Amino acid sequence: VQHFKKPELKLIDLTIRMFSEPVLELDTPLLEAHLLDVQNRKELLMEKISADKDSLMSNLKFAELLRERGVEPPTKISLTTGKETLALAKSDEGFKALAEHPDEYVQALVAARLGNKSTLEETRTERFLSIAKRGAMPVPLQYYAAHTGRWGGTDKINLQNLPSRGKDGNKLKMAIKAPKGYVVIDSDSSQIEARVLAWMAGQSDLVEAFRNKEDVYKIMASAIYRKKVDDVTKEERFVGKTTILGAGYGMGSIKFKTQLKGFGAEIEDAEAKHIISVYRDTYKKIPELWKESLGALNAIMGNQAKPLGNGAVVVKGRDGILMPNGLYQRYPNLRKILDDDGKEQYVYDAKRGAIKIYGGKLVENICQGVARCIIGEQMIKIAKRYKVVLTVHDAIASVVREEEVEEALAYVEECMRWTPDWSEGLSLNCEAGHGNSYGDC
């Protein structure tokens, strides 16, 4: 306990109370109708997918099936060869995550490969119905589940990854309701990772654009397409948005093209290279932070101490990266190995095996960790007045009395725009809504 600052102990307490003092209710008729719909669609999907068993069981062919859906197959470092390989075994974390993919076709692919008769959407809906029979819904979250410090889902329902798009819409979210006389307020921190990244890198023009509430997606698109901001189309703005939110951690053009394809936007290789190049030229401080992070990895291996970026986090030798909340991002047994091309790359040990790490990835881990520190402190502020019932990544859900909703909404938005003392110069914003159900917010 002496190694945890008081705010983190409060967050542990809040996490436990979400489960031990449940207030959210479940809509049984809605869940029953949703389950029937999911089961009917699943049968049709399984008939289509199971026809080609060879493609399901071959790693390379299965990876290609994923790419056809715009999903990049997960990879890992082989403990046998030390090389990067596909992570498509049933025990691989990356493969397990595909079972929770928002695309039900991808869920069905995974289920068919495993020989299961049910998709995650089906089993999760059945789990919701089982909980509904007992009364209010306990919210099961794992405190500090992720390497970055974020909460994780558990108890076979994973509330951190409820679907919100596709044919199902947000039926499971709609089924989660406030008790009679109350409403749910869901507040989501807007672009918090992109804001933290610009702030940590010292990319002052992007920081100011966020602060002044400028449309940073249009600004990016105007640079990409060489046109005035006011002339940027809706489709071009979407590309600008994807660039701002996706290219900040060293993503290459091939992966960027695949990501856009997953969103339904097709571009040529040359255009993808152009977009990535424009991003890096426009915001030069961000690639510089990636390079500085390579020095941070060397400092960890050399057991040296040094600040990183604007100093919000500090390298503490083999202990790892000291975060603003007083806890560490650790990189056990960080070392260099040779990849398939004979080039050096960094890896560290985790429960699921050796994990590849590089400058951009370290920056991503740190930015997510810093965002988690901020969200945690904001959650504590909200909990001083209202019951916090759930957190999902950069969002916080709370329950308030109907007659207090306007006052509560204003207070929650104030909390979500507040920044800790250690984050001077950082500008935050949020989107918040309310409704009788979690899906209405």
Side-chain angles (χ1 to χ4, degrees), residues 245-308:
L245 299 182
Y249 301 134
M251 180 187 293
S253 60
I254 295 175
K255 189 173 181 180
F256 180 78
K257 178 184 175 182
T258 301
Q259 186 181 72
L260 269 181
K261 183 179 179 181
F263 294 141
E266 296 269 4
I267 61 173
E268 298 296 327
D269 291 349
E271 185 177 358
K273 290 179 181 178
H274 166 71
I275 292 170
I276 293 299
S277 177
V278 169
Y279 176 83
R280 296 178 182 184
D281 287 341
T282 303
Y283 301 120
K284 294 181 183 294
K285 291 284 188 181
I286 291 174
E288 288 176 8
L289 183 61
W290 305 339
K291 294 178 182 178
E292 187 181 346
S293 294
L294 289 176
L297 292 172
N298 288 325
I300 293 172
M301 290 193 301
N303 199 26
Q304 299 170 343
K306 62 173 294 185
L308 180 59

Side-chain angles (χ1 to χ4, degrees), residues 19 55 76 113 126 232 238-239 268 291 359 410:
F19 187 86
S55 295
K76 63 181 178 182
R113 179 176 168 91
E126 290 172 338
V232 170
F238 178 76
V239 173
E268 298 296 327
K291 294 178 182 178

Side-chain angles (χ1 to χ4, degrees), residues 160-321:
Q160 297 288 290
N161 193 25
L162 292 179
S164 58
R165 299 182 182 89
K167 294 180 181 178
D168 291 332
N170 59 351
K171 294 288 180 65
L172 293 179
K173 289 184 177 180
M174 292 292 292
I176 301 174
K177 295 195 169 186
K180 186 177 180 179
Y182 289 79
V183 297
V184 179
I185 291 180
D186 188 37
S187 52
D188 191 359
S189 190
S190 305
Q191 315 129 325
I192 187 170
E193 281 190 49
R195 290 167 181 265
V196 168
L197 172 61
W199 171 71
M200 285 197 63
Q203 191 67 55
S204 57
D205 55 343
L206 185 53
V207 171
E208 286 304 307
F210 278 124
R211 187 186 312 281
N212 296 331
K213 299 182 180 179
E214 298 175 45
D215 191 331
V216 296
Y217 304 149
K218 276 193 172 183
I219 292 172
M220 186 73 257
S222 72
I224 292 170
Y225 297 105
R226 302 185 182 94
K227 58 169 58 177
K228 294 180 180 179
V229 171
D230 292 341
D231 295 335
V232 170
T233 67
K234 180 180 178 181
E235 293 74 19
E236 290 167 344
R237 182 184 183 274
F238 178 76
V239 173
K241 176 180 179 179
T242 307
T243 306
I244 288 289
L245 299 182
Y249 301 134
M251 180 187 293
S253 60
I254 295 175
K255 189 173 181 180
F256 180 78
K257 178 184 175 182
T258 301
Q259 186 181 72
L260 269 181
K261 183 179 179 181
F263 294 141
E266 296 269 4
I267 61 173
E268 298 296 327
D269 291 349
E271 185 177 358
K273 290 179 181 178
H274 166 71
I275 292 170
I276 293 299
S277 177
V278 169
Y279 176 83
R280 296 178 182 184
D281 287 341
T282 303
Y283 301 120
K284 294 181 183 294
K285 291 284 188 181
I286 291 174
E288 288 176 8
L289 183 61
W290 305 339
K291 294 178 182 178
E292 187 181 346
S293 294
L294 289 176
L297 292 172
N298 288 325
I300 293 172
M301 290 193 301
N303 199 26
Q304 299 170 343
K306 62 173 294 185
L308 180 59
N310 63 359
V313 301
V314 179
V315 180
K316 289 288 188 178
R318 295 192 186 95
D319 284 334
I321 311 292

